Amino acid sequence: MLAARRIHIINGHFLQAKNATVSASPVQIKLSKDAVLIDEKVKIEVTGLGSGQKVTIQACFSEGDKTFGSCGHYVADQNGNVDTFRDICLGGTYSGLNPMGLFTSASTTPGIKPGRLIKSDVMTPYEVTLAVHDGFIKFNQLSWSDQLPCLVSCVLLRSYTAPGVRRFPVRENGIYGTLFVPPGEGPFPGVIDVFGMGGASNIEFRSALLASHGIASFALAYYGLPGLPQNEQQLDFTYFLKAFDWLASNSLIDSKNLGGISTCVGGGYVRLIASRRPAMKCFVTINSGVKIFGRKQTVEGVTVTTSSTKNIDDVKIVDDCFVFSYMYQLEDVTLGDDDVKGWVNGAKVLAIHGLDDQCVNPIMLDVLENNVPEDLRENYTFLRYPGAGHLLEPPYAPLCKVSYNKMFDIKCLWGGDDVSHSIAQEDSWPRILEFLKRNLQSKK
């Protein structure tokens, strides 16, 4: 990976790290902060250039065995400065006035197999190398080796965890997951965080970031690990209720302020909890269907119907990728007496959907909206984002249009266009935080 001179900027002043290479170049990089949370904007300024000089700003970082990168083309002003908050990017992996384009447009570098960017160790930051090169250089023409010559470089740290956030792996009473707790003594408002069956048995980045914003979050694992089901047909839905009960009983958690957040089929399991546990005051669903995923079963004495596979023949394959959004149309989806209804106990709900979701048909949000009883509609907020795909994540994460699903051994098309998806992530995340904080700090 590209080697950087570790020039850190604190309060606007350059501090040269030990073993840093001293550059004779007058060109310098100035960052608004050199260490930030993943959802914070970072202003990048380049000074000491020639008037009208063309430059390429390159970003590069590693995750696991993959290297990710991006680049933007800029022209210095008459004073020899570039400011990513002010200046138009003229090309590279993004364009236009896009202050965080270097991060939202990141992809695996040439020669590296494409894949979804997921932080495996959320307690450590991404170490992003930022380098400035003379002239406009295309992404596939940039070098990613240690020998790369550049005008100047520095390292930016981007993290999901704020200082003081604590991580507790959970393996007790048959419950698996990871609890993230904010700094301080608590007890804290808490949510249960349930992703879909996207191939990773436990995804922690969202819970870590929620804890960084003052909300304890339990990233629940429910398949794929030893001791857990290996497919959806083996799921026991009472597991989700037991996990919520465990969270409610934890001494670090305020049992009077409990909620949930979910993506894809995780939405069905969170709605199940809300329908059986009045203590769940609010929850968020992101690109979720209206049915619960798994086999039909009895939960605490009540039968729960599940998603039907009768329309499996309507699944399309595009460029060797599975597209599931065609499986269900509006006329195919009805909610019966045995279906899980998350509204029955009066929980407040924020339901979000990307309208270019190629996994869960966006009409599911219409079905949900049409079925909420009139006297409970004020509890629901619906957000729809044109051009956004399935994998809606916290802001400034790159769009993943296609990825491999280990559970089902297929490639899935998720949808979304770069600009619209990025806008949706940047707009929805503060709304999610505001929604959870408002409803988990008030009296029921």
Side-chain angles (χ1 to χ4, degrees), residues 350-427:
L350 176 61
I352 301 169
H353 219 112
L355 299 186
D356 193 42
D357 185 348
Q358 298 300 306
C359 181
V360 178
N361 196 320
I363 60 99
M364 294 295 184
L365 202 62
D366 300 329
V367 173
L368 180 64
E369 191 167 12
N370 292 338
N371 279 272
V372 177
E374 190 67 34
D375 61 329
L376 294 175
R377 291 206 172 201
E378 64 178 12
N379 291 341
Y380 269 74
T381 300
F382 298 92
L383 295 179
R384 295 172 171 86
Y385 290 101
H390 185 68
L391 297 180
L392 276 173
E393 297 177 348
Y396 319 129
L399 167 64
C400 178
K401 294 183 180 181
V402 175
S403 68
Y404 172 70
N405 186 306
K406 183 178 180 181
M407 170 68 72
F408 301 110
D409 191 26
I410 58 174
K411 286 197 301 182
C412 294
L413 181 66
W414 305 119
D417 71 75
D418 293 341
V419 174
S420 299
H421 194 87
S422 179
I423 290 172
Q425 291 186 154
E426 187 171 359
D427 183 79

Side-chain angles (χ1 to χ4, degrees), residues 167-179 202 218-222 225-228 238-253:
R167 177 183 182 272
F168 300 100
V170 177
R171 302 288 188 275
E172 58 183 79
N173 299 323
I175 297 171
Y176 296 76
T178 311
L179 177 65
N202 199 23
F218 182 31
L220 182 66
Y222 60 95
L225 295 175
L228 288 176
T238 59
Y239 175 81
F240 299 96
L241 301 178
K242 291 177 181 177
F244 181 79
D245 294 341
W246 175 90
L247 179 66
S249 67
N250 191 290
S251 61
L252 291 169
I253 305 302

